[in-house]
Amino acid sequence: MAKFQSLADAVADNLNDGDSVAFEGFTHLIPHAAAHEAIRQGRKDLTVMRMTPDMIYDQLIGMGCVKKMIFSFAGNPGVGLLRRFRDALENGWPHQLEIEEHSHAAMANAYEAGAAGLPCAIFRGYRGAELTRVNPNIRFVECPFTGEKLAAVPALRPDVAVIHALKANRKGDVFLEGITGVQKEAVLAAKRSIVTVEEIVDDFEGLSPNATVLPAWTVTSIAVVPGGAHPSYTQGYYGRDNSAYLEWDKIASDRDKFMDWMKANVLDRTPDIFAGRVAHLKTQG
Amino acid sequence: MSTFTPTEMMTVAAARALSNDDVCFVGIGAPSAACNLARLTHAPDITLIYESGTIGTAPTVLPLSIGDGELCDTALNTVSVPEMFRYWLQGGRITVGFLGGAQLDRFGNINTTVVGDYDKPKVRLPGGGGAPEIAISCGEIFITMKQSTRGFVEKLDFITSLGHGKGGSDRADHGVHTKGPTRLITDLAVWETDPQTKEFTVTSLHPGASRKDVEDTVGWPAKFADHVIETPAPSAEELQVLRDLHARTKAAHEGQ
């Protein structure tokens, strides 16, 4: 049953050195505050996975938390490349980074297989694509009914899934809407989960019967962190801080500038800083 | 007649390739501008889909990323990412996939993964994202990209997404039976795929662009159709709608 905790306690209780962890979010609802907490606590040797690793994965890699990354698109969305990720891969700074690279379809199917308790995902993909040459975890199977050759990848079953959601109720049920990405699948595929939320409400009023809800008994820890997705956004609460993504490209381009920024904005801070960061981005109405 | 830039001509020509009945999977960047221009001009009922799960989206400003809130707010419906890739893309519901790329070859194969060797990259690019399956599951593929010898190469460093492979029947030999790349719209020309060789062939030159301009900006010997026409210049309306769209986008992104 979901436990309400401070973010520091939620990360300390659930995320260990050497764990595999998915900080998921697809442009929307990216769990920045939780990733910063993991960095502050100095987690090491993590295997991190995400379809669209962006700024927070650049930060985790640059701070030396990551041993291996499983991903399908490693860019700063709409801006360009991830410079700390590139520095790790091209120059081994701060240390060598192992990668396992897929397509979006493969990762989405692999999370879904994880949530469904299957060992692998099967889909029509990767035909003629060169990732099949460099990633031994992409294989092909024959459909036993039609003989069609289909791609297979191992299910993704992280030790920990970390997501940001709109709100939880007092029982610990979690609600998210808008672009929901693969977060539901990631939580259901994981052994443990941490959910940061904008607020806790007495009950969810007026929800559609088909809304995306994670029942309290599927979630391990909940921490209230208003603004916890910034500079990503939370539907109905605040908009995306596009200028912060543009700014990141400059910060991450230089090792010293990066380390200074991380000290000032992550290491010397606490999660309550996030509420102020979204004050100017609040959604009207 | 008003003047226009090569980029504006590219976007307008790319938009014209889309029809009102299309269900289009939209890549970010240049494809996104073209697809929304089509929707705001001759194809008001076109269905635009972004891989973040937004179906039938009608943004008033261009998104910076494929998952901007604007896309969700203006969509008919937003589905999860696994559903997007399984039911809608793999299920064969998409008529056109509109892609850009970092490196392209004459058969429409695309590289967005790496410059240099995969294990010792010179430049590590973001990777494939949705493209490997967009490239094989959509009814056909349009590509839009500015011409340069850096981008239009004789041989790709890495094949992220299959076009026509080595040409001829190679795509079908990979077990892929969708049409693949049929059209390439650049800042200089419109190229179409030769039905036999599957090589891109210039069928239309934009106003002011010469054969030499085209030849000088691709890394392979450019092929031209027997009858190359001149691309009709952007109409006053097309230019106005495009410029308004960019102005709204700029104002919205700077306002944050």
Side-chain angles (χ1 to χ4, degrees):
Chain A
M1 196 59 74
K3 193 170 165 184
F4 291 96
Q5 294 183 289
S6 70
L7 181 56
D9 288 347
V11 170
D13 285 0
N14 290 295
L15 183 63
N16 309 306
D17 288 351
D19 275 351
S20 59
V21 54
F23 294 88
E24 268 298 349
F26 208 89
T27 307
H28 181 214
L29 295 175
I30 297 168
H32 276 260
H36 285 184
E37 187 57 38
I39 291 169
R40 266 194 298 276
Q41 294 189 19
R43 286 295 169 282
K44 291 274 174 289
D45 296 324
L46 298 174
T47 291
V48 295
M49 59 188 82
R50 170 123 167 248
M51 293 182 66
T52 53
D54 61 359
M55 197 187 287
I56 56 174
Y57 280 56
D58 221 22
Q59 294 168 349
L60 286 158
I61 290 167
M63 296 302 283
C65 306
V66 180
K67 183 180 75 177
K68 177 180 176 181
M69 181 164 91
I70 304 171
F71 71 103
S72 42
F73 184 90
N76 182 345
V79 179
L81 306 169
L82 290 180
R83 299 185 183 279
R84 293 297 93 224
F85 165 63
R86 279 187 59 188
D87 201 16
L89 217 58
E90 295 167 18
N91 309 308
W93 192 92
H95 54 71
Q96 294 295 329
L97 175 71
E98 216 181 304
I99 58 168
E100 177 177 334
E101 183 168 4
H102 286 282
S103 66
H104 277 351
M107 293 276 291
N109 276 283
Y111 276 121
E112 200 181 58
L118 290 170
C120 73
I122 293 173
F123 63 107
R124 188 180 295 113
Y126 282 132
R127 289 178 185 171
E130 205 171 339
L131 276 180
T132 54
R133 178 177 67 78
V134 296
N135 181 350
N137 268 345
I138 301 169
R139 300 190 191 174
F140 290 88
V141 295
E142 195 173 277
C143 168
F145 307 102
T146 64
E148 185 178 358
K149 204 175 137 200
L150 297 163
V153 294
L156 286 171
R157 310 209 66 170
D159 292 317
V160 190
V162 183
I163 68 166
H164 186 75
L166 279 71
K167 52 192 168 187
N169 64 20
R170 304 233 171 257
K171 285 197 305 194
D173 305 314
V174 167
F175 167 68
L176 55 160
E177 70 176 351
I179 291 172
T180 55
V182 289
Q183 285 97 301
K184 179 177 174 178
E185 288 77 10
V187 167
L188 295 181
K191 296 189 185 80
R192 302 180 294 281
S193 57
I194 300 169
V195 183
T196 54
V197 294
E198 291 295 326
E199 60 176 331
I200 292 173
V201 296
D202 289 332
D203 56 75
F204 299 138
E205 279 168 34
L207 279 197
S208 153
N210 304 110
T212 305
V213 171
L214 289 161
W217 46 273
T218 64
V219 174
T220 315
S221 293
I222 296 173
V224 184
V225 186
H230 177 270
S232 169
Y233 67 101
T234 298
Q235 186 86 14
Y237 288 80
Y238 49 90
R240 190 173 191 262
D241 192 350
N242 285 324
S243 61
Y245 283 90
L246 293 165
E247 193 60 27
W248 181 251
D249 196 48
K250 291 177 213 134
I251 296 159
S253 66
D254 179 84
R255 289 173 187 172
D256 291 336
K257 208 183 282 178
F258 164 75
M259 293 305 289
D260 290 347
W261 191 92
M262 291 303 291
K263 183 169 183 333
N265 294 283
V266 178
L267 299 181
D268 294 348
R269 298 291 181 180
T270 52
D272 52 17
I273 191 79
F274 279 86
R277 287 177 179 164
V278 299
H280 68 297
L281 300 161
K282 292 270 187 212
T283 309
Q284 300 303 313
Chain B
M1 194 182 82
S2 55
T3 57
F4 51 89
T5 67
T7 304
E8 286 174 332
M9 181 70 253
M10 175 169 84
T11 308
V12 167
R16 288 175 187 157
L18 294 163
S19 83
N20 208 31
D21 299 328
D22 275 322
V23 177
C24 179
F25 210 102
V26 186
I28 206 67
S32 182
C35 293
N36 282 289
L37 177 61
R39 180 179 61 78
L40 293 167
T41 52
H42 67 277
D45 295 324
I46 189 171
T47 299
L48 301 184
I49 292 184
Y50 287 70
E51 67 190 13
S52 53
T54 57
I55 297 177
T57 187
T60 50
V61 302
L62 294 175
L64 186 68
S65 83
I66 39 79
D68 279 19
E70 171 82 3
L71 295 173
C72 177
D73 292 340
T74 60
L76 171 67
N77 187 26
T78 297
V79 300
S80 74
V81 168
E83 178 176 328
M84 173 52 62
F85 280 94
R86 289 170 67 79
Y87 299 176
W88 303 93
L89 180 62
Q90 182 179 259
R93 298 277 172 181
I94 317 284
T95 61
V96 179
F98 220 129
L99 297 174
Q103 267 188 350
L104 178 76
D105 71 15
R106 74 183 78 180
F107 297 115
N109 304 297
I110 294 175
N111 173 22
T112 52
T113 303
V114 71
V115 177
D117 184 66
Y118 185 80
D119 294 312
K120 278 239 139 260
K122 200 150 74 182
V123 183
R124 176 62 225 203
L125 302 169
E133 282 75 24
I134 294 171
I136 61 173
S137 291
C138 295
E140 63 187 315
I141 298 295
F142 297 161
I143 299 168
T144 183
M145 226 174 121
K146 280 190 200 178
Q147 288 193 207
S148 73
T149 48
R150 241 177 103 194
F152 288 56
V153 298
E154 173 71 29
K155 190 178 181 326
L156 298 180
D157 288 333
F158 193 89
I159 299 176
T160 308
S161 312
L162 179 70
H164 293 286
K166 296 182 173 74
S169 67
D170 199 37
R171 182 177 170 89
D173 296 344
H174 278 96
V176 182
H177 302 292
T178 48
K179 283 187 200 160
T182 54
R183 206 174 293 216
L184 165 65
I185 302 101
T186 73
D187 50 341
L188 298 174
V190 176
W191 307 59
E192 290 175 65
T193 305
D194 181 278
Q196 256 67 51
T197 66
K198 306 291 184 188
E199 179 174 343
F200 284 133
T201 307
V202 174
T203 55
S204 177
L205 282 169
H206 298 340
S210 69
R211 287 180 181 235
K212 187 164 184 321
D213 294 336
V214 169
E215 286 165 343
D216 287 349
T217 47
V218 295
W220 65 81
K223 287 252 166 67
F224 294 85
D226 292 341
H227 301 287
V228 176
I229 59 167
E230 182 176 274
T231 314
S235 71
E237 192 215 347
E238 285 169 327
L239 273 183
Q240 194 56 51
V241 172
L242 177 61
R243 287 173 184 174
D244 288 349
L245 178 63
H246 281 310
R248 282 198 302 276
T249 301
K250 191 160 179 276
H253 290 168
E254 279 175 358
Q256 284 178 1

